[in-house]
Each structure stands twice: as structure tokens, then as C-alpha cells.
Amino acid sequence: GEDVEQSLFLSVREGDSSVINCTYTDSSSTYLYWYKQEPGAGLQLLTYIFSNMDMKQDQRLTVLLNKKDKHLSLRIADTQTGDSAIYFCAEGYGGATNKLIFGTGTLLAVQP
Amino acid sequence: DAGVIQSPRHEVTEMGQEVTLRCKPISGHNSLFWYRQTMMRGLELLIYFNNNVPIDDSGMPEDRFSAKMPNASFSTLKIQPSEPRDSAVYFCASSAPDSPLHFGNGTRLTVT
């Protein structure tokens, strides 16, 4: 079955690195995504990784994928107060209709 | 591109009334998704369409919920009759094949 889990809350100090973790159960997913949701807004795509990759870096964001353990992480370097939001990981199956299954979301609180 | 457009942004209605939520996907996207977000259950996929055809409506909670996509640029989600437990934020998202989902800003529904 499809199940994606995340820890609920993470607190860091401004300037530190944040690491948000995610585990999933379905190894047939094709893509894994990270979305950010700010208060009162929709989900904004941050980055994604193809399932045959181990790592992807995009400016301050680093995504690591351990397919054997079905573990995905998002590292945010030099975390800023503007990074405070809920972060969702999601697995997708690609194809004509890229249905996504979302995790529970991790609330990132950045302390000044 | 204007992105995925949802209306209304906020809806307050009384129990028993009919509610209609509207969505305009991004032009050229062939898949459309309706999600519901609550504190208790997180993000739930209600239904999705591919090329205007409903593919999977197994997430629709009850017969009181229905969704249509009469053409490639418009979809509705209807709740009739509405109940207080339907209060949530409803998101519409669209995507092209093998591409990430793009979300609208959601409709916050309150049923009193």
C-alpha cells in the first residue's frame, strides 16, 4: 500500500541547517517530491528527484534518497526565517496521470 | 501563466446548503486533482481526472460529494448537502504527463 510518513515538527535557529526526513512504503514510485506550504497558501513545489538518483542539489536545498531504506530527506542550508512553513514530501508514479501521495507534513519553525 | 485558479477563496455556509467549488487548471495540463486538507487527516486525494475523464474517485468521502470536469479548462467539486465535518481547505491541482503537480491557493470552507 501507499504510505508516506514524516515527523510533525522541527525547530532550528536561523543560520543553521535543517534536515527534514520522510519515509515511504511503495518502492514502485517514480518521482519523490518536496513541497512547501506557507500559511493561507497552496503547496509550492520546491524540488523533486527521480527514483534512480541518490542526490540532487539546488542552491540551498539538498535532497538525499536512500531507495533501499525508502528514506528521503531535505536539507536546507543556512536556514532563514522565511523558510518557516510546512514541508510535505510526496511520492509519484509518473505516467499520463502523475498521482501523488503526500506525507503528513513537517512544520519547520526557524528561531531568530 | 496565471497558475491554477480556484474560487471562491473562502466560503461560509450553513449545514444542509449546497456548496460548489471551482477550479481552472493551467492551460495545457491534462490532469486535474482535488485534495482536501484538515488538521486531523492531512492532505487527502478526493478525485482526479485525466483528459476530463474521472480516473479514480475512491477518495470521495460520501455520495454527498461529486465532481465534474465538463472541459479542459474547468472543474467543479460539489457538496450537497453540506455538513460541519466538511469544513476544510479544498485544493485543486493540475499537471502535465510525468510532471509535478501545481496547486491553487485553495478554498477554505466553513460549514456552520
Side-chain angles (χ1 to χ4, degrees):
Chain A
E2 309 152 335
D3 194 16
V4 181
E5 294 192 357
Q6 302 176 237
S7 52
L8 291 181
F9 182 72
L10 175 66
S11 178
V12 298
R13 299 192 74 85
E14 193 174 17
D16 288 350
S17 291
S18 309
V19 179
I20 303 171
N21 294 302
C22 171
T23 57
Y24 59 98
T25 56
D26 193 341
S27 58
S28 65
S29 52
T30 308
Y31 301 95
L32 293 130
Y33 301 85
W34 284 103
Y35 281 82
K36 175 184 180 183
Q37 185 181 31
E38 295 179 350
L43 279 71
Q44 171 197 356
L45 177 69
L46 280 179
T47 186
Y48 64 98
I49 188 168
F50 193 54
S51 59
N52 68 355
M53 296 169 63
D54 298 325
M55 185 183 88
K56 180 178 180 182
Q57 187 147 6
D58 185 359
Q59 300 182 336
R60 292 191 296 122
L61 306 179
T62 303
V63 179
L64 294 178
L65 175 60
N66 181 328
K67 201 166 181 185
K68 174 177 167 289
D69 294 338
K70 300 189 185 69
H71 182 266
L72 181 74
S73 68
L74 173 70
R75 178 177 182 270
I76 306 173
D78 187 24
T79 312
Q80 304 298 305
T81 54
D83 295 324
S84 294
I86 301 175
Y87 290 79
F88 291 91
C89 68
E91 57 176 347
Y93 301 88
T97 305
N98 193 13
K99 172 184 165 184
L100 297 193
I101 303 300
F102 284 87
T104 49
T106 299
L107 174 62
L108 174 65
V110 182
Q111 311 299 326
Chain B
D1 198 319
V4 176
I5 299 173
Q6 291 187 248
S7 63
R9 285 283 278 141
H10 302 273
E11 176 81 40
V12 181
T13 191
E14 291 185 347
M15 186 173 84
Q17 297 298 306
E18 177 180 295
V19 173
T20 300
L21 312 181
R22 296 172 179 81
C23 176
K24 178 177 169 26
I26 292 173
S27 177
H29 283 189
N30 67 328
S31 294
L32 184 139
F33 304 78
W34 283 100
Y35 283 86
R36 177 172 70 175
Q37 186 178 35
T38 61
M39 289 289 291
M40 294 299 295
R41 293 186 298 271
L43 266 170
E44 302 172 277
L45 176 61
L46 300 178
I47 184 172
Y48 65 96
F49 297 82
N50 182 247
N51 294 327
N52 313 340
V53 175
I55 302 300
D56 184 353
D57 65 354
S58 59
M60 297 284 260
E62 298 171 38
D63 290 345
R64 298 184 295 106
F65 285 69
S66 63
K68 293 182 180 178
M69 192 164 185
N71 56 63
S73 58
F74 184 65
S75 177
T76 59
L77 177 68
K78 187 177 291 187
I79 308 172
Q80 166 62 18
S82 58
E83 295 182 5
R85 61 196 166 115
D86 301 330
S87 297
V89 181
Y90 290 81
F91 287 105
C92 176
S94 69
S95 69
D98 274 331
S99 296
L101 270 62
H102 295 262
F103 281 78
N105 283 329
T107 294
R108 181 174 294 278
L109 174 64
T110 303
V111 183
T112 61

